[in-house]
Amino acid sequence: MSAPRTPSPARRIVDAAREVIAANGIPGVSMDQVAKQAHVSRSTLYRIFPNRDQLIARVVAIEIRTLRRKLDKTIVGYTPQQTLVEVFALSIGQAESNMAVSKVLAAEPEYFLRIPRGVWDLLIQGIVIRLRNSGAEQDYAELCSVVDLMLRITGSLLSNSPTGLDIGDSDALRAYGEKYISRLLI
């Protein structure tokens, strides 16, 4: 039997960054803290992630991939409207259950509206592909606008939940999504 594989320095750094974000929020993340938590030298950290923004963008990109994997398991056979509602509900559910994301939302709710453009576009494109696969016929640019708006609504609800909506209740989120979010699609 072989010994367990040691995670790569890049993986250790990303995991450490997630832990530091969960403990301190994004404003409290320093590259020194991450290097110490990951048990790597500062030079190794900066060789892999030249700056803090790139490191945080990688953490966010991993969260996006996790969401997309969960979504792909769920939306088989869904209509475009059902897919959009599921994206909405899963996005809020994942953000609520992830300590790093929750900490960021509590300390800096507007951060997700300032995600680097490339990461934001990656998220939008991934959702648009899933909408297309579920039968959405709107043109690409229009679908991108729909998804962008849905994500902005999601970010707003996460940072300032409306009265009467329990964002911890997936059934309530889906009902809200069916009533308001699904209407974004033709």
Side-chain angles (χ1 to χ4, degrees):
M1 189 159 104
S2 62
R5 248 177 53 173
T6 303
S8 70
R11 180 60 192 218
R12 290 195 328 261
I13 291 166
V14 169
D15 290 345
R18 189 180 296 116
E19 291 173 20
V20 171
I21 291 169
N24 306 320
I26 288 177
V29 173
S30 77
M31 296 295 267
D32 288 336
Q33 285 177 300
V34 173
K36 184 177 178 181
Q37 183 79 18
H39 304 289
V40 298
S41 67
R42 288 188 63 195
S43 63
T44 297
L45 172 64
Y46 280 103
R47 182 174 39 79
I48 297 170
F49 296 101
N51 61 55
R52 182 177 173 272
D53 289 341
Q54 287 183 3
L55 175 57
I56 291 169
R58 173 70 64 85
V59 171
V60 171
I62 289 170
E63 293 304 318
I64 289 169
R65 279 197 301 271
T66 300
L67 173 64
R68 287 180 8 193
R69 281 193 301 273
K70 287 180 181 178
L71 185 61
D72 288 341
K73 291 177 183 176
T74 306
I75 62 170
V76 176
Y78 279 27
T79 66
Q81 287 79 9
Q82 290 169 321
T83 297
L84 191 64
V85 168
E86 195 62 27
V87 169
F88 169 74
L90 281 175
S91 297
I92 290 179
Q94 183 174 335
E96 283 288 292
S97 67
N98 182 300
M99 282 302 297
V101 174
S102 295
K103 187 76 169 190
V104 170
L105 288 169
E108 258 190 294
E110 71 285 351
Y111 176 78
F112 289 100
L113 299 178
R114 294 183 290 125
I115 291 174
R117 190 76 228 173
V119 175
W120 188 256
D121 290 344
L122 178 69
L123 176 58
I124 289 172
Q125 290 165 4
I127 296 168
V128 167
I129 288 167
R130 282 144 184 90
L131 288 170
R132 281 268 196 234
N133 290 343
S134 68
E137 294 180 359
Q138 290 168 268
D139 70 24
Y140 181 80
E142 194 169 322
L143 285 173
C144 287
S145 295
V146 165
V147 172
D148 184 78
L149 182 56
M150 183 274 304
L151 291 171
R152 291 176 188 280
I153 292 168
T154 300
S156 177
L157 291 174
L158 283 165
S159 63
N160 191 14
S161 185
T163 304
L165 176 62
D166 177 3
I167 62 173
D169 180 346
S170 60
D171 291 334
L173 284 174
R174 284 183 182 86
Y176 183 93
E178 288 167 8
K179 186 172 184 178
Y180 301 109
I181 303 300
S182 67
R183 293 179 183 196
L184 296 172
L185 288 171
I186 296 174

